[in-house]
Amino acid sequence: MDLSAINPVLLVASLIVAAVPFLLAAIGELVAEKSGMLNLGVEGMMITGAICGFAAAVQSGSPLTGFLAAAAGGAALSLLYAFLTLATLANQVASGLALTLFGLGLSSKLGRGYVGIKPPASATLDIPVLSDLPVVGRILFSHDVMVYFSFALVAAVWAFLKYTRAGLILRAVGENHDAAHALGYKVKLIRLMAIAFGGACAGLGGAYISLIRVPQWTEGMTAGAGWIALALVVFASWKPWRVLLGAWLFGGVTVLQLNLQAAGIAIPVEYLSISPYLITILVLVVMSADRSRAPASLGRIFHASQ
Amino acid sequence: MLRRTFLGTAAMALALALTGGVHAASHSDKVKVGFVYVGPVGDGGWTYEHDKGRQAVEAEFGDKVETVFVESVPEGPDAERVMTQMALDGAKLIFTTSFGYMDPTINVAKKFPDVKFEHATGYKTAPNVGTYSARFYEGRAVQGTIAGRMTESNIIGYIGSYPIPEVIRGINSAYIHAKKVNPDVEFKIVWAFTWFDPAKEADAARTLIEQGADVILQHTDSTAPQAAAEAAGNVYTFGQASDMAEFAPKPRISSIIDNWAPYYIKQVKAVMDGTWKSEMTWDGIGPGMVGIGEITDAVPAEVKAEALALKDSIASGAYHPFTGPLKKQDGSDWLAEGETADDRTLAGMNFYVEGLTGDIPQ
């Protein structure tokens, strides 16, 4: 056992990277759920985004095109969910689960020709002076663009929900869709946009795995990340900054347990392996003890006649 | 009206399915062979090689054989369901290709005494269940030799999947041979508790690299650790289960290749001829079940020659990778000078050899 082998700076730097896919997918799902739509298809949208982004990046040679395609792919798949739940008034839980299964199958079909290919490398953002700073430079200023984009997205979603009129309307739709409808807001249109946003974010999260974190295409490569993202939203009590905290916690303990194992620490590996799930759940359960609740109309079907 | 048409169509479909089923069963000249895979066929590693074996069976026997496979089957009750379905669909021979399918295979085999089962890497047999495995530890000995020579930090990272005898044998064999050529070498072992999870495997590889490892050995199935090593720069890796040549000449400097095709063809033939019997097959480099992928130019010529010489002496049977004197991790004696390990001990290996640190998860 040799704890000195673990470099805390590298540890924090890699936890930030490990948290990005969960963060992106969870923040998108948060917006969808705030509008009252429970979309359990995050895993399916992530994996679809992963292959769409990978294929586009390989074809075009540009990671940026890849990420755009991933967002488009995730959003396109989420429109299927929107059609099922908003137009045909199908059950949201069942539609979401179906979306996951469909996404997994679709992605392996799309990915047939892309196994074993390397994607174009994404540039890390090296800010000349800042990234040379000791400790802080490595932790904060030497990541790829998507890391900063995910932070900005969390801040933007938070500000949007809290301070803008559009954010207020979105929340009103999620709290009481009948009242919002009575006030003349287009409930279905607003929900459609929220779902598409959630799909685009999940797609980006998936592409982050296939283009940067792994980086390659293999079937089923998101390996349950979408479910983690779903859980993070609930435990974060639908609050953007807590989603960030939850994602870091999960990413952090995941990276830490690998480090402890490699350092040969004498804790049984099984406990280390379940620790990310346990600790994240525990901390967020404790934090969610305040009075914040799920959006009141979450998961309920809206029909203008009722 | 709509419902009536629906019911009518459903009944017709059912009738068709039933007659179709009888039809297929009456055509007994075609032998149906089933394959149960633990990962996707596109994993580029373990399952990919098994599927190449399946394709070789199809190519060999043409329209005398029909193969079916189910991929990404979890190790547990699901596996039992998949095997049962295959047997009910008329499969005469079923290959179950992961260690965790051992008990499900035995359970299902009891229910279908006329169907032959072949379970990979396990140790339980029955009158209609045989096992087959490859002596991967022979390949690990070659890898360990190259790894011990190539490391400059003297830290070799090892990504384990599950703490089962097959994986532990690999770690021991690699360590013994790395230590032999480089007495200062140290192994850092991370257990991923998965056969296939690219993101987790990449994280594990990255962690090992951050802790100073400059050679990474993996016993998981995806190519993610290769990509992580490539991104990190000065790190060497070995292809696992499949050649993974897309990462050559660096980081991938050699590989262990599983070659199941000859065995699958032989066993399918045995079922066709009615000569199949339950056996425990365990072949290594010699018979060609374990292949060593091309050692690239990133490896110095003398190291390459040394590795190839070791490979040849293992293939000819002149050298056994577990040859004494060897001690167990706790310092107790295992093999005396010149003694070699017997297959029984190897098949159930649950201890590290002396010098390895850390505990095997129980």
Side-chain angles (χ1 to χ4, degrees):
Chain A
M1 168 177 160
D2 180 19
L3 283 180
S4 63
I6 303 175
N7 181 336
V9 174
L10 289 180
L11 184 74
V12 176
S14 44
L15 89 81
I16 290 177
V17 171
V20 172
F22 309 114
L23 184 59
L24 283 169
I27 203 73
E29 176 67 11
L30 182 137
V31 171
E33 290 194 14
K34 271 287 184 189
S35 81
M37 300 307 290
L38 179 66
N39 186 353
L40 296 185
V42 181
E43 178 82 6
M45 300 186 298
M46 279 185 90
I47 192 86
T48 306
I51 182 58
C52 290
F54 189 85
V58 167
Q59 297 296 344
S60 69
S62 142
L64 179 67
T65 316
F67 279 108
L68 290 176
L77 192 65
S78 74
L79 290 183
L80 183 65
Y81 168 83
F83 172 76
L84 288 172
T85 52
L86 297 178
T88 68
L89 305 188
N91 179 291
Q92 294 188 10
V93 172
S95 310
L97 290 174
L99 198 68
T100 288
L101 296 175
F102 178 67
L104 287 169
L106 179 72
S107 65
S108 70
K109 182 84 194 143
L110 291 175
R112 277 284 181 240
Y114 290 96
V115 174
I117 297 177
K118 281 179 259 182
S122 310
T124 54
L125 204 61
D126 261 330
I127 310 162
V129 185
L130 291 177
S131 53
D132 294 335
L133 291 174
V135 183
V136 187
R138 181 73 190 87
I139 293 179
L140 288 182
F141 301 111
S142 57
H143 295 293
D144 51 88
V145 185
M146 286 306 286
V147 172
Y148 305 106
F149 174 77
S150 67
F151 293 164
L153 195 66
V154 173
V157 165
W158 169 74
F160 169 78
L161 289 175
K162 194 164 165 115
Y163 294 115
T164 68
R165 183 171 172 78
L168 187 64
I169 296 170
L170 183 113
R171 281 190 289 146
V173 168
E175 291 299 335
N176 189 334
H177 49 220
D178 295 322
H181 176 65
L183 285 171
Y185 294 120
K186 302 210 175 326
V187 173
K188 291 196 173 177
L189 182 67
I190 290 163
R191 288 189 164 168
L192 180 74
M193 291 193 291
I195 292 170
F197 178 78
C201 288
L204 286 177
Y208 190 80
I209 298 181
S210 67
L211 286 178
I212 296 179
R213 188 145 162 247
V214 171
Q216 61 176 333
W217 166 252
T218 28
E219 283 174 40
M221 68 183 310
T222 48
W227 300 108
I228 306 284
L230 266 170
L232 282 179
V233 176
V234 178
F235 291 121
S237 335
W238 293 269
K239 293 193 166 110
W241 293 112
R242 286 197 193 167
V243 168
L244 178 67
L245 177 84
W248 277 359
L249 242 152
F250 187 80
V253 187
T254 308
V255 174
L256 182 66
Q257 70 99 354
L258 289 172
N259 268 287
L260 289 176
Q261 272 200 50
I265 199 168
I267 300 174
V269 181
E270 301 85 334
Y271 297 123
L272 288 175
S273 293
I274 58 168
S275 59
Y277 305 92
L278 273 186
I279 293 177
T280 311
I281 290 174
L282 275 180
V283 170
L284 291 173
V285 162
V286 170
M287 289 196 45
S288 64
D290 61 18
R291 281 177 303 148
S292 34
R293 294 245 169 77
S297 291
L298 182 63
R300 283 175 47 206
I301 291 170
F302 171 73
H303 191 269
S305 68
Q306 284 164 350
Chain B
M1 186 62 197
L2 196 67
R3 180 153 33 154
R4 194 183 300 158
T5 20
F6 170 72
L7 286 175
T9 329
M12 198 187 277
L14 190 67
L16 275 176
L18 283 174
T19 48
V22 172
H23 189 68
S26 67
H27 266 258
S28 54
D29 51 333
K30 218 173 194 183
V31 175
K32 196 167 186 176
V33 184
F35 292 82
V36 186
Y37 298 145
V38 71
V41 292
D43 70 352
W46 176 260
T47 298
Y48 173 73
E49 287 297 325
H50 282 287
D51 200 54
K52 267 170 62 177
R54 180 189 67 83
Q55 289 164 10
V57 167
E58 288 216 319
E60 174 80 16
F61 299 109
D63 53 7
K64 277 192 282 186
V65 68
E66 181 192 352
T67 66
V68 288
F69 68 90
V70 181
E71 54 186 348
S72 299
V73 178
E75 299 177 328
D78 274 351
E80 222 163 291
R81 239 183 44 227
V82 169
M83 291 171 207
T84 306
Q85 192 58 46
M86 277 184 179
L88 287 174
D89 284 349
K92 289 281 167 275
L93 173 64
I94 298 175
F95 291 97
T96 58
T97 64
S98 187
F99 179 79
Y101 298 151
M102 181 161 64
D103 290 330
T105 305
I106 297 290
N107 292 343
V108 176
K110 269 190 206 132
K111 287 184 250 167
F112 297 96
D114 295 336
V115 179
K116 313 294 183 218
F117 291 82
E118 291 266 352
H119 175 238
T121 69
Y123 53 82
K124 290 187 184 170
T125 57
N128 61 333
V129 182
T131 62
Y132 63 103
S133 184
R135 295 181 188 267
F136 304 114
Y137 66 86
E138 297 185 351
R140 291 282 174 197
V142 179
Q143 274 188 2
T145 305
I146 302 174
R149 289 280 187 215
M150 294 301 284
T151 179
E152 278 166 23
S153 64
N154 288 334
I155 299 174
I156 293 172
Y158 204 111
I159 305 171
S161 45
Y162 293 98
I164 58 171
E166 184 202 321
V167 179
I168 295 168
R169 273 197 306 273
I171 295 173
N172 282 333
S173 175
Y175 179 74
I176 290 167
H177 294 86
K179 185 100 178 164
K180 206 173 261 177
V181 296
N182 181 354
D184 298 325
V185 86
E186 182 197 342
F187 268 41
K188 282 184 189 278
I189 301 161
V190 167
W191 296 96
F193 282 93
T194 177
W195 286 113
F196 180 78
D197 181 344
K200 202 172 200 176
E201 292 169 46
D203 278 349
R206 227 167 271 147
T207 302
L208 289 165
I209 293 166
E210 279 170 13
Q211 293 206 11
D214 60 355
V215 179
I216 304 279
L217 274 57
Q218 65 175 103
H219 205 133
T220 49
D221 299 347
S222 90
T223 48
Q226 315 276 332
E230 187 171 47
N234 253 344
V235 178
Y236 299 111
T237 58
F238 296 87
Q240 158 68 7
S242 187
D243 198 27
M244 302 189 178
E246 63 271 25
F247 290 95
K250 240 190 93 182
R252 173 224 166 273
I253 48 178
S254 182
S255 61
I256 294 181
I257 305 169
D258 309 347
N259 183 9
W260 305 109
Y263 181 76
Y264 284 170
I265 290 170
K266 190 178 108 206
Q267 295 307 94
V268 171
K269 184 97 176 57
V271 167
M272 285 173 168
D273 300 345
T275 56
W276 187 94
K277 51 185 192 297
S278 168
E279 279 171 348
M280 294 182 89
T281 302
W282 203 11
D283 285 344
I285 294 178
M289 201 182 255
V290 176
I292 300 293
E294 194 221 343
I295 301 173
T296 65
D297 292 340
V299 180
E302 66 272 18
V303 176
K304 182 174 175 175
E306 184 183 19
L308 289 176
L310 181 69
K311 176 192 160 191
D312 291 341
S313 67
I314 293 174
S316 68
Y319 174 72
H320 190 292
F322 290 103
T323 303
L326 284 174
K327 289 185 176 191
K328 295 186 182 179
Q329 189 184 26
D330 58 15
S332 61
D333 290 326
W334 176 33
L335 296 173
E337 177 82 44
E339 192 186 352
T340 57
D342 59 282
D343 281 358
R344 204 184 171 75
T345 317
L346 288 181
M349 186 174 258
N350 60 355
F351 57 87
Y352 282 153
V353 292
E354 188 179 37
L356 281 165
T357 51
D359 296 322
I360 300 172
Q362 291 304 316

